[in-house]
Amino acid sequence: MTSALYSHSVPVFKQMLTALKTILSQTSEHVTAKAIEPDALLQARLFPDMFPLLKQVQIAADFSRGVSARLAGVDVPVYEGQEKNFSDLDALLTQTLAFLDSLSAAQFEGKESSEIVLRPGTPKEKKLSGQTYLAHYGLPQFFFHVTTAYDILRHNGMAVGKRDYMGAY
């Protein structure tokens, strides 16, 4: 039987990141076809105090890697966060999906009660079980950033809908 932690993390992350990758590819084609400055969308925000599209995608990828790695008990892969254009974001998502593909369900077995420490050694340190970490922290954070990326594009006129957001499942 496959670990519930695996089933509720890696395949979900892969589905949503693949959909986001497709939407960003469509957006890249759109800005080229319409001669729109790419930064008009890459730096677009829903509100001035929110991160722009570029950062939303980076954070979504970071959460998918970090949550999966911590639950699997492997080192969290670190990327520089130097993406500047749609091609860079595509490469980031490709690398992230490859990392997720490298994880097996067996690595998640029995990790429901494993202790996950957030912000270790700081006043904001928090200790969570693997199950709580995924369900109440990791997935909500991930979905917030994927949804915000989608919303930024939709708000800026991209003709994408729920089917695009959900991807193949």
Side-chain angles (χ1 to χ4, degrees):
M1 181 173 177
T2 300
S3 164
L5 283 183
Y6 177 84
S7 296
H8 295 124
S9 60
V10 173
V12 174
F13 293 143
K14 288 172 56 176
Q15 173 188 337
M16 299 307 294
L17 290 179
T18 300
L20 183 57
K21 190 174 185 309
T22 300
I23 290 171
L24 291 171
S25 175
Q26 293 168 348
T27 303
S28 178
E29 291 170 10
H30 175 78
V31 298
T32 300
K34 300 288 186 183
I36 298 169
E37 176 60 40
D39 270 350
L41 291 177
L42 290 167
Q43 296 303 320
R45 303 164 189 257
L46 290 177
F47 197 76
D49 68 350
M50 294 180 76
F51 288 127
L53 173 67
L54 187 80
K55 187 71 170 172
Q56 299 291 347
V57 174
Q58 290 169 329
I59 294 171
D62 287 347
F63 266 100
S64 69
R65 288 189 313 271
V67 169
S68 299
R70 287 181 190 94
L71 292 174
V74 300
D75 290 337
V76 178
V78 178
Y79 295 102
E80 296 292 322
Q82 300 300 314
E83 294 79 21
K84 303 233 184 285
N85 55 47
F86 286 108
S87 179
D88 292 345
L89 289 178
D90 186 69
L92 172 67
L93 293 176
T94 298
Q95 292 169 336
T96 299
L97 289 165
F99 169 72
L100 294 172
D101 282 337
S102 76
L103 301 173
S104 71
Q107 292 173 286
F108 291 72
E109 290 295 328
K111 302 290 178 74
E112 292 80 8
S113 60
S114 293
E115 184 176 77
I116 306 292
V117 181
L118 302 175
R119 298 181 177 134
T122 71
K124 292 184 177 183
E125 181 175 292
K126 190 167 189 117
K127 296 178 181 178
L128 305 169
S129 71
Q131 181 66 41
T132 301
Y133 172 64
L134 176 62
H136 298 281
Y137 181 77
L139 286 174
Q141 292 280 353
F142 172 76
F143 278 111
F144 175 85
H145 293 287
V146 171
T147 302
T148 302
Y150 167 86
D151 289 345
I152 289 169
L153 292 172
R154 187 76 176 112
H155 176 75
N156 281 281
M158 282 301 299
V160 293
K162 185 169 151 182
R163 215 174 266 189
D164 301 298
Y165 170 82
M166 294 290 296
Y169 52 93

